[in-house]
Amino acid sequence: MVLHAALVTRLSSACGPHPPHRMNEPASIRQTSVPMPQSSTAAAWAWPQGHWLGAIELQEVVACSASGIVYRAWDHGLAVPVAIKEYLPAQLAARATDGRVAPLTIEDAAAFERGLQAFVDEARKLAQCDHPALVRMLHLLQAHGTAYRVMPW
């Protein structure tokens, strides 16, 4: 039970607000090409229940971490439940009001892109593996300025 409480605490803190220096930076150095939502929590940037990514319908947020958001979803094409992990690093990026994920500042753009590429590369490597200790990749989606790993639920 202690481990579970520690995990919940860690997830809650990862989904919390950004450090003030990120959200309060002058507009002159923030990326202004996309409008940002009012809330500063990763949970606020999650897609709503019922959002579709291709043939996959998102049902609920099950976790968020420093690197992204995990959803429980239903793959209507395969008729199976799936887990979706979205790359959305809370310290570097946010979902804009138009749905795209964008770096918080111009300075964060390079780190966001490196992290996104590593997220995609890791998914591709996992897709080549067949071992019970490793999560199986069913699909990799790239949309809305980010990437999504589709895994068995």
Side-chain angles (χ1 to χ4, degrees):
M1 189 61 146
V2 174
L3 178 61
H4 176 37
L7 179 60
V8 170
T9 301
R10 188 167 10 138
L11 287 174
S12 297
S13 65
C15 295
H18 291 286
H21 71 278
R22 290 276 189 221
M23 297 308 293
N24 296 330
E25 288 176 336
S28 62
I29 63 168
R30 287 181 57 98
Q31 261 193 349
T32 57
S33 60
V34 292
M36 293 298 183
Q38 296 300 313
S39 179
S40 63
T41 65
W45 299 322
W47 288 114
Q49 179 180 359
H51 183 79
W52 288 74
L53 294 169
I56 298 170
E57 181 181 7
L58 302 180
Q59 296 176 332
E60 69 176 318
V61 172
V62 294
C64 56
S65 69
S67 65
I69 302 171
V70 178
Y71 304 88
R72 181 176 57 87
W74 183 261
D75 185 328
H76 287 268
L78 297 175
V80 296
V82 294
I84 306 280
K85 180 161 187 186
E86 176 181 25
Y87 178 72
L88 203 166
Q91 298 299 315
L92 299 175
R95 186 177 324 282
T97 55
D98 67 357
R100 289 183 295 146
V101 172
L104 293 173
T105 68
I106 293 169
E107 290 80 9
D108 293 331
F112 174 79
E113 289 301 322
R114 282 191 310 272
L116 178 60
Q117 189 60 53
F119 184 86
V120 168
D121 291 345
E122 183 178 64
R124 289 179 175 153
K125 288 176 185 166
L126 285 167
Q128 297 172 6
C129 299
D130 183 16
H131 190 279
L134 298 174
V135 67
R136 196 171 53 128
M137 290 293 117
L138 299 177
H139 196 66
L140 175 66
L141 300 169
Q142 294 187 58
H144 310 293
T146 191
Y148 303 84
R149 294 178 183 173
V150 182
M151 303 158 285
W153 179 257

